[in-house]
């Protein structure tokens, strides 16, 4: 129909723009993650839990952060994985 | 400006780049900063605050926790330049000694 | 074998499917992003193999 062909024309124009935007945003985010390697990071988790650790690596789906020397309220855990779902935000100095 | 942040998509997220934004996330927690980027996979925002003594404090707010994003102002050219060169790969800084 | 028939057609391998998805998402930049991601994931996997980190907290705060 006319409606669907008009819609797909707009999509065809829109798609490369959207792909470009996505790639610019993603590349910049990945660089930001890479720059965190070995940095001290403060995590704000749900339930007002705040912990500090040395950042190691993130998986690409942003589900888990691998960290070292995690300072928990009950002591230091040498190696840990933090679930991104538990995290509200995190901060580091660049 | 209430929005379902994770569902906006790249073309809308990119409009917030180089803007100073205020983000509400989690329970009544608020943070401000220059928006460097939004991860299109997790919708997480990267906020940068420059320090007077040099360097910057970087805050990443996870997309799933975002409740509201408000634009405060636009960056001038100098701030944009400073922001966008913060995490550049070394090859684009090849003019450095 | 028989279990295979219930899964994706044999011609469609995970790697290829991922490549096609990346192409759809990132267009002409797909290869660059995919290379960056591959390096990052490899790094993450290597760190985890080496350090055997355990989840903290043990129980998720948010389900």
């Amino acid at each position: 129909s006319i409606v669907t062909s008009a819609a797909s024309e707009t999509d065809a124009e829109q798609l490369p723009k959207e792909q470009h935007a996505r790639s610019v945003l993603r590349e910049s985010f990945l660089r930001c993650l890479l720059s965190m390697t070995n940095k001290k990071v403060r995590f704000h988790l749900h339930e007002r839990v705040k912990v500090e650790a040395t950042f190691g690596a993130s998986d690409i789906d942003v589900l888990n952060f691998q960290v070292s020397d995690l300072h928990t309220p009950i002591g230091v855990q040498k190696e840990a994985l933090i679930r991104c779902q538990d995290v509200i935000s995190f901060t580091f100095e660049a | 400006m209430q929005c379902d942040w994770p569902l906006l998509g790249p073309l809308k997220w990119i409009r917030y780049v180089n803007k100073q934004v205020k983000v509400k996330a989690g329970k009544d927690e608020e943070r401000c900063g220059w928006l460097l980027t939004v991860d299109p996979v997790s919708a997480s925002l990267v906020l940068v605050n420059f320090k007077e003594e040099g360097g910057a404090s970087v805050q990443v707010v996870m997309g799933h926790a975002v409740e509201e994003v408000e634009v405060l102002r636009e960056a001038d050219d100098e701030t944009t330049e400073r922001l966008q060169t913060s995490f550049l790969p070394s090859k684009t800084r090849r003019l450095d000694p | 074998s028989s279990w295979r028939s219930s899964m994706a057609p044999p011609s469609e391998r995970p790697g290829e499917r991922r490549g096609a998805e990346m192409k759809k998402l990132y267009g002409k930049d797909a290869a660059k992003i995919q290379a960056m991601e591959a390096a990052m994931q490899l790094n993450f996997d290597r760190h985890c193999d080496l350090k055997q980190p355990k989840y903290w907290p043990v129980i998720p705060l948010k389900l």
Side-chain angles (χ1 to χ4, degrees), chain B:
Chain B
M1 193 159 44
Q2 178 54 47
C3 51
D4 205 347
W5 180 257
L7 298 178
L8 290 186
L11 290 173
K12 289 201 174 131
W13 288 323
I14 210 162
R15 287 196 216 149
Y16 290 82
V17 170
N18 300 329
K19 307 276 197 301
Q20 191 178 44
V21 297
K22 187 163 84 179
V23 182
K24 263 193 198 166
K27 279 179 194 126
D28 49 65
E29 285 189 68
E30 247 179 36
R31 37 227 84 216
C32 293
W34 297 103
L35 190 101
L36 172 73
T37 189
V38 179
D39 175 33
V41 172
S42 64
S44 302
L45 301 92
V46 180
L47 305 179
V48 178
N49 281 292
F50 297 111
K51 290 188 270 188
E52 273 179 37
E53 66 269 28
S57 167
V58 183
Q59 193 158 43
V60 181
V61 186
M62 303 305 291
H64 64 80
V66 172
E67 277 162 20
E68 203 178 311
V69 184
E70 188 188 332
V71 174
L72 302 177
R73 60 179 167 145
E74 229 169 289
D76 56 24
D77 291 347
E78 197 194 326
T79 310
T80 302
E81 166 79 11
R82 218 172 147 189
L83 187 60
Q84 292 301 329
T85 50
S86 340
F87 302 113
L88 278 190
S90 48
K91 66 173 171 151
T92 61
R93 289 199 229 116
R94 62 186 175 276
L95 295 180
D96 287 2

Side-chain angles (χ1 to χ4, degrees), chain A residues 61-75:
Chain A
D61 300 311
V62 202
L63 298 174
N64 301 289
F65 296 135
Q66 176 263 319
V67 301
S68 301
D69 294 317
L70 175 71
H71 288 67
T72 80
I74 54 157

Side-chain angles (χ1 to χ4, degrees), chain A residues 17-93:
Chain A
K17 283 184 198 157
E18 189 178 301
Q19 288 170 334
H20 181 67
R22 185 180 283 114
S23 118
V24 168
L25 293 169
R26 180 69 167 161
E27 181 173 350
S28 180
F29 184 74
L30 293 179
R31 291 202 188 290
C32 171
L33 284 182
L34 285 175
S35 79
M36 287 166 62
T37 311
N38 296 326
K39 288 222 166 96
K40 285 256 183 303
V41 177
R42 292 190 301 279
F43 292 94
H44 288 220
L45 310 187
H46 286 287
E47 315 304 333
R48 298 184 193 279
V49 179
K50 290 179 187 176
V51 289
E52 239 184 68
T54 304
F55 194 83
S58 167
D59 59 13
I60 59 171
D61 300 311
V62 202
L63 298 174
N64 301 289
F65 296 135
Q66 176 263 319
V67 301
S68 301
D69 294 317
L70 175 71
H71 288 67
T72 80
I74 54 157
V76 178
Q77 185 169 324
K78 191 88 194 91
E79 304 295 343
L81 273 181
I82 293 181
R83 297 175 192 84
C84 298
Q85 275 299 321
D86 285 343
V87 178
I88 295 173
S89 69
F90 55 92
T91 311
F92 65 99
E93 308 302 314

Side-chain angles (χ1 to χ4, degrees), chain C residues 17-56:
Chain C
R17 195 164 60 232
R18 173 121 181 100
E21 266 167 34
M22 292 296 285
K23 190 84 196 155
K24 210 167 100 187
L25 288 171
Y26 297 101
K28 59 179 177 55
D29 297 325
K32 179 174 73 175
I33 302 292
Q34 201 168 2
M36 283 183 82
E37 287 189 352
M40 260 188 67
Q41 187 65 45
L42 189 70
N43 185 45
F44 176 83
D45 293 344
R46 222 187 43 211
H47 276 234
C48 289
D49 282 349
L50 210 69
K51 304 178 174 193
Q52 300 285 316
K54 301 276 183 294
Y55 274 112
W56 190 91

